Amino acid sequence: MTVRVTRATARRVLEQLRRDRRSLALIVIVPPALLALLRFILDAERPAFQRVAVPLVGMFPLIIMFLITSITMLRERTSGTLERLMSLPLAKLDLIAGYAVAFAFVAAVQTCVTSAVAFGLLGVTVHGSAALVVALAVTNALLGVALGLFLSAFATSEFQAVQFMPAVLLPQILLSGLFVPHDRMPHALRIVADALPLPYAFDALARVATGDEGTRLHLDVAVVLGTILVAVALGATTLRRRTP
Amino acid sequence: MSETGPAIVVSGLRVIRGDRLVLRDVDCTIEAGLVTGLLGPSGCGKTTLMRAVVGVQRVAGGAIHIFAVPAGTPELRRRVGYMTQAPSVYGDLTVVENLRYFARVMDRRDRVRDVIELVGLGEYEHSLVRDLSGGERSRASLAVALLGEPDLLVLDEPTVGLDPLLRRELWATFHRLADAGTTLLVSTHVMDEAERCDRLLLMREGNMLAEGTPAELRARTAAPTLEAAFVALTEPR
């Protein structure tokens, strides 16, 4: 791996994104707006809002970066630029790392804005460290990048790639305890939830929100980091030098 | 022209795509330092052969050696430049941003200005690639292939959509590069371009039909023009 290629790729991805002002605006504005909407929907049930607000702040980057990565990788594959890159002296991990750096940066900006609105205007309280919420959100963004990279190999059109969000991510977010806490779900569903990565990401954020930063939080973070590594490794195998 | 042995040796190359045999035991040799034209009706396997030479095509059998090294070997990635048929550049970046990115990847930032001049895109360097015409876009793609000063340039229909003047300029550039020692493999189906090649390879339905200089191919078929020679050679017998 070379830092030069990673940095060049991150810079190129950010240059492309910078051109797309509308997407940038949506990335920054939509999460805090949705959070504000939820705050007013749950106006009469403040504890319920309080329970899901912090996890949501940290889950937005995962969803958004998953979608953005799926689409950009699919474009690289269909436009021939991936084939060109694969014929150049470039390590696959340089390309992936370049994407990860660029999107992690965008996710950090997104989360800072969302957190400022949540903690400053919407009265969301964090008993643990607010900086840890941002750190977990950026980690989740990387999980989104890794999953998007891997799953984009199974989409042949942007239409399909977009469908992977409700197909792959949404069930996991529902199983995380967005509507019903994890421990009040049927036993069978709890087993399913325990086998999937997103409930761990959600749980980590919920624990930081309540100030419960014990060993279970460490396990949550370990599972998320492990999933990132596995997804990146699987994603790298889908970037082939030779194609049929 | 310096001749230091063949640049490309293809032997018994077979490629299967889906359930179709696209290349059927193709053999051919491409001399170093020459402009070799690859001709044949569309769908005959020209692009597949070029992809195999560059090392991005999965092959079912046979061998390709580039400068005596198997195609697709990592060290060749610095020595082979490839321009795909569809321009493979980023539409949402400007010409110069595209070139800077690929130049940084190859660690050849010194070349950005030179290649822009070489393909004549100076006045459009700050235009977004998606706003360019088809011909300008393919020149941007050609510029990327030229960045690394490769020993072998594989160009898949590089002059499609270009006006005659630009085509003539680009072909002059190809010959200048060949005179400086670069080997070029260029696919085309324009006859006046075939006339400008030092050697020609003629393909049909995944087979290599004929190899030789334009004069040799005309003589072999006793045809007055290259076009007539090709018709004689490609017509199903």
Side-chain angles (χ1 to χ4, degrees):
Chain A
M1 269 185 77
T2 51
V3 177
R4 185 190 76 245
V5 178
T6 301
R7 202 190 315 156
T9 303
R11 188 170 165 168
R12 186 262 295 171
V13 172
L14 289 174
E15 270 173 344
Q16 287 179 289
L17 209 53
R18 197 193 59 196
R19 283 270 149 59
D20 192 352
R21 294 273 164 83
R22 197 173 302 171
S23 286
L24 277 183
L26 288 169
I27 286 172
V28 176
I29 293 166
V30 169
L34 282 176
L35 214 55
L37 177 66
L38 196 63
R39 155 74 182 75
F40 294 113
I41 289 172
L42 294 174
D43 199 33
E45 294 171 63
R46 294 298 293 277
F49 174 67
Q50 187 61 45
R51 189 176 64 78
V52 296
V54 172
L56 279 180
V57 169
M59 297 303 272
F60 282 127
L62 193 157
I63 298 167
I64 309 252
M65 296 310 147
F66 174 84
L67 281 171
I68 292 183
T69 308
S70 306
I71 303 273
T72 29
M73 281 315 298
L74 194 73
R75 283 193 191 155
E76 291 258 22
R77 287 177 208 274
T78 51
S79 70
T81 46
L82 185 66
E83 178 167 303
R84 165 160 259 157
L85 288 170
M86 289 291 104
S87 74
L88 295 179
L90 160 142
K92 293 172 190 174
L93 279 180
D94 287 331
L95 186 66
I96 298 172
Y99 269 102
V101 168
F103 290 148
F105 171 73
V106 176
V109 174
Q110 180 188 48
T111 308
C112 286
V113 174
T114 316
S115 303
V117 172
F119 306 147
L121 298 177
L122 302 176
V124 176
T125 51
V126 186
H127 294 285
S129 139
L132 196 51
V133 174
V134 177
L136 286 174
V138 172
T139 313
N140 285 348
L142 293 178
L143 179 58
V145 169
L147 291 174
L149 172 76
F150 173 56
L151 287 169
S152 72
F154 302 99
T156 53
S157 68
E158 294 185 10
F159 209 24
Q160 291 175 9
V162 171
Q163 305 294 327
F164 282 146
M165 202 290 278
V168 177
L169 297 192
L170 204 55
Q172 295 195 59
I173 291 170
L174 295 177
L175 284 169
S176 299
L178 186 63
F179 296 131
V180 177
H182 186 237
D183 52 15
R184 280 200 268 143
M185 284 179 204
H187 184 65
L189 286 183
R190 263 184 282 166
I191 292 171
V192 175
D194 285 344
L196 295 168
L198 264 58
Y200 291 89
F202 193 97
D203 187 65
L205 289 154
R207 281 176 198 278
V208 175
T210 56
D212 171 19
E213 298 177 0
T215 46
R216 176 59 213 238
L217 178 65
H218 297 155
L219 171 73
D220 286 339
V221 174
V223 170
V224 172
L225 292 177
T227 310
I228 292 173
L229 290 180
V230 172
V232 163
L234 290 173
T237 64
T238 68
L239 302 177
R240 296 190 189 280
R241 300 265 179 200
R242 285 182 187 272
T243 49
Chain B
M1 265 166 253
S2 63
E3 306 246 338
T4 52
I8 307 175
V9 179
V10 178
S11 44
L13 183 68
R14 285 165 68 84
V15 172
I16 299 167
R17 301 185 75 179
D19 51 6
R20 194 166 150 234
L21 188 57
V22 183
L23 294 181
R24 314 159 184 243
D25 302 306
V26 167
D27 295 291
C28 63
T29 303
I30 288 149
E31 299 301 328
L34 296 182
V35 180
T36 301
L38 183 57
L39 290 104
S42 80
C44 70
K46 296 189 295 286
T47 296
T48 306
L49 177 60
M50 293 185 131
R51 282 172 39 88
V53 164
V54 176
V56 296
Q57 174 67 52
R58 206 176 291 159
V59 302
I64 306 176
H65 286 83
I66 316 286
F67 306 121
V69 181
T73 307
E75 61 161 282
L76 286 176
R77 287 183 206 138
R78 289 201 176 276
R79 300 188 66 190
V80 180
Y82 176 39
M83 176 190 171
T84 51
Q85 206 165 2
S88 43
V89 276
Y90 298 98
D92 47 2
L93 293 180
T94 65
V95 171
V96 82
E97 284 168 343
N98 265 289
L99 287 166
R100 271 197 210 123
Y101 171 55
F102 288 109
R104 284 193 185 107
V105 168
M106 285 183 252
D107 205 9
R108 292 304 309 267
R109 290 197 60 188
D110 54 308
R111 289 276 297 158
V112 172
R113 288 253 59 83
D114 295 352
V115 296
I116 289 177
E117 294 308 315
L118 217 49
V119 300
L121 275 181
E123 62 179 302
Y124 302 112
E125 64 176 70
H126 295 300
S127 304
L128 288 182
V129 166
R130 65 164 173 244
D131 295 337
L132 298 178
S133 73
E136 288 155 1
R137 223 175 299 169
S138 75
R139 272 187 285 158
S141 190
L142 174 64
V144 178
L146 295 170
L147 270 174
E149 292 185 280
D151 298 322
L152 169 64
L153 258 177
V154 179
L155 309 175
D156 199 351
E157 307 210 346
T159 57
V160 167
L162 297 189
D163 60 77
L165 213 67
L166 254 167
R167 260 180 33 210
R168 205 163 65 188
E169 271 176 37
L170 275 183
W171 275 89
T173 305
F174 298 162
H175 280 285
R176 269 203 308 281
L177 289 166
D179 291 344
T182 308
T183 305
L184 289 96
L185 177 61
V186 185
S187 72
T188 178
H189 46 235
V190 184
M191 278 308 139
D192 70 36
E193 294 191 344
E195 290 279 8
R196 290 179 221 248
C197 295
D198 299 315
R199 285 189 85 247
L200 295 169
L201 299 173
L202 180 60
M203 292 182 74
R204 184 171 61 90
E205 290 174 6
N207 294 302
M208 194 57 74
L209 279 190
E211 293 184 49
T213 65
E216 279 168 9
L217 293 183
R218 268 196 307 268
R220 193 183 304 173
T221 53
T225 64
L226 203 47
E227 180 145 18
F230 286 152
V231 171
L233 283 163
T234 44
E235 238 167 23
R237 274 144 293 185

